[in-house]
Amino acid sequence: MSAGTAVVSGASIAGLSAAFWLRRLGWQVTVIERAPEFRDGGQNIDVRGVAREVLVRMGLFDAVKARNTTETGAVIVDGNGQAIATLPDGGGTGATAELEILRGDLAGVLRDHLPEGVEFVYGDTIEDVSEHAGHARLTTAGGRELRCDLLVIAEGVRSTTRGRVFAQDTVEERELGVTMVFGTIPRVPGDDDRWRWYNAPGGRQAHLRPDPYGTTRTILSYSPGDDLLSMSRNEALARVRSRYRGAGWETSRILDALETSQDVYIDQLAQIRMKTWHQGHVVMLGDAAWCVTPMGGGGASLALTSAYVLAAQLSAHSGDLAAALAAYERWMRPLVRDAQNMPGWLTRFAYPQSRAGLALRHVADRVFTSAPFRPLPAKLTQVAETERTLPTLRPTTG
């Protein structure tokens, strides 16, 4: 498709990647972000599978690798902090990837390397979307009226614009029954360069991971989850503290530190499954279209890949937007389907409820991380893998 005008809603990894490639094709690109400024916080993510090749084509592989989290491996620990199992590293493709980076750092690399001419609008959201004379027309909460050839919705799992465009019966929000609390806390002398993962009875997990800034990233994750999204921060943290009473290991330290952490983020995990990712002059990509959740992994890799594939199909189907969006969806569906296809037993295995269940889990951890069985857990970290060649990005005209 010849170069046109695009509005990208969302300025995280999926949205910035889309802005990168569309602008590279010569499109006029405006990015709308609801946050008042660029968001540079966040937890560990990684780039795997075919997304590594996407970074190479962007010229950003080395820049991303240079911003690694400093994490060297991953261990499961007991209540005394002693490692009871070491997760396979797979030569940098295991639990800790070669391209292990904080979400905000990857977003920062993308933003800093955008082609010139991308316009940003912060502190605004899309309020209305309609189709008129071969274009999408948008109205924002801030009173802006925009017309574009393509609206890219890349807002994340809780996307509001998705519901303004796609019928309710085309979108399934599949709750996984898991609550996660993320934050950054002070580093202490006992913290090291490994991802330390602790399980306690009652379906409770605690994670500590190094970052390159002298602090420590933490996650508290438990199942069955709570409805915390409707609560204030103080109410939510009080509920979490109650759930973790007597959990042991570093959980008291984590809970105390979260009280003053500046970037606490709470989520209730849900997969998004859509019957179609495009309609008229609108296309979905990233978590807004297919969130696989941290349990499934691969969200950043799918976001990077989808933005490239979208641009490649737009360049291959010059003048035919419908054909380009259909081709984009056909190419991406198998990758997303594989990432979302988590085993039905995974939540029960990851969140044992009883002490007996936890003891069995520890036995399984030791067995499946031993040398003879190591390929099995390694497969769980393989996302965005395909034997297909990425489509070619062709120069556009007009």
Side-chain angles (χ1 to χ4, degrees):
M1 181 176 180
S2 59
T5 58
V7 172
V8 178
S9 185
S12 192
I13 295 162
L16 292 172
S17 299
F20 179 98
W21 288 113
L22 290 172
R23 187 62 188 145
R24 177 76 67 86
L25 288 177
W27 286 55
Q28 297 298 313
V29 180
T30 300
V31 179
I32 298 176
E33 166 58 43
R34 68 182 306 128
E37 58 187 8
F38 178 74
R39 297 180 296 118
D40 59 359
Q43 296 283 322
N44 293 52
I45 57 175
D46 48 44
V47 181
R48 300 175 185 265
V50 71
R52 293 163 59 90
E53 175 61 24
V54 172
L55 281 182
V56 171
R57 296 188 185 194
M58 298 175 90
L60 299 181
F61 187 95
D62 291 339
V64 170
K65 188 174 182 179
R67 300 294 296 274
N68 78 84
T69 62
T70 73
E71 185 175 289
T72 60
V75 294
I76 297 172
V77 301
D78 63 17
N80 296 316
Q82 299 300 308
I84 58 177
T86 300
L87 299 180
D89 60 25
T93 60
T96 297
E98 177 187 15
L99 298 180
E100 194 84 30
I101 186 171
L102 297 176
R103 186 214 64 83
D105 286 349
L106 178 55
V109 169
L110 294 171
R111 178 201 57 183
D112 293 346
H113 291 85
L114 286 174
E116 291 186 4
V118 176
E119 179 185 358
F120 281 85
V121 176
Y122 286 102
D124 207 352
T125 58
I126 295 173
E127 287 289 300
D128 184 65
V129 181
S130 59
E131 297 265 346
H132 291 276
H135 296 87
R137 289 189 178 180
L138 319 175
T139 303
T140 73
R144 293 177 175 83
E145 294 186 358
L146 304 171
R147 190 180 77 167
C148 60
D149 299 303
L150 182 64
L151 168 61
V152 180
I153 301 177
E155 298 172 352
V157 62
R158 308 292 174 187
S159 170
T160 56
T161 309
R162 179 180 61 218
R164 303 184 193 282
V165 176
F166 293 87
Q168 186 175 0
D169 63 1
T170 67
V171 182
E172 177 188 1
E173 188 170 327
R174 182 174 297 183
E175 298 288 344
L176 300 186
V178 176
T179 295
M180 283 190 168
V181 182
F182 307 85
T184 303
I185 65 175
R187 186 178 176 89
V188 300
D191 291 342
D192 59 28
D193 58 2
R194 300 172 301 170
W195 171 9
R196 290 176 292 158
W197 175 342
Y198 171 70
N199 293 281
R204 297 172 291 181
Q205 296 180 1
H207 303 257
L208 292 173
R209 307 183 75 169
D211 69 21
Y213 300 108
T215 50
T216 295
R217 307 290 160 142
T218 188
I219 305 171
L220 296 177
S221 179
Y222 60 94
S223 180
D226 285 321
D227 181 12
L228 302 185
L229 299 184
S230 60
M231 299 182 182
S232 70
R233 168 177 162 145
N234 288 341
E235 289 172 334
L237 289 180
R239 176 72 64 84
V240 175
R241 185 179 288 275
S242 176
R243 287 293 298 261
Y244 275 79
R245 187 173 294 117
W249 190 50
E250 301 266 3
T251 56
S252 293
R253 166 207 168 189
I254 292 169
L255 287 162
D256 289 344
L258 287 175
E259 296 289 345
T260 56
S261 175
Q262 298 302 304
D263 65 348
V264 172
Y265 175 72
I266 297 172
D267 196 13
Q268 288 156 217
L269 300 193
Q271 282 190 348
I272 300 298
R273 298 179 180 231
M274 298 185 65
K275 293 180 180 179
T276 181
W277 298 328
H278 68 279
Q279 179 173 297
H281 291 76
V282 180
V283 66
M284 307 284 301
L285 55 78
D287 283 350
W290 55 66
C291 182
V292 295
T293 77
M295 286 186 65
S301 299
L302 292 173
L304 288 164
T305 304
S306 63
Y308 172 83
V309 172
L310 172 63
Q313 301 298 0
L314 288 169
S315 71
H317 297 271
S318 180
D320 193 340
L321 178 64
L325 299 185
Y328 150 76
E329 184 160 337
R330 284 194 303 272
W331 205 97
M332 285 300 302
R333 280 281 177 187
L335 286 186
V336 172
R337 185 169 55 248
D338 289 346
Q340 287 191 325
N341 190 26
M342 294 186 297
W345 49 262
L346 184 59
T347 299
R348 295 191 302 275
F349 178 77
Y351 298 92
Q353 300 298 314
S354 66
R355 292 190 179 278
L358 181 58
L360 288 173
R361 163 69 192 275
H362 285 166
V363 171
D365 289 336
R366 293 186 180 97
V367 170
F368 286 107
T369 57
S370 64
F373 292 93
R374 192 158 292 182
L376 295 177
K379 286 184 178 180
L380 294 176
T381 66
Q382 294 176 0
V383 295
E385 298 280 359
T386 180
E387 296 181 356
R388 296 172 295 160
T389 303
L390 282 168
T392 300
L393 194 73
R394 295 179 174 86
T396 58
T397 59

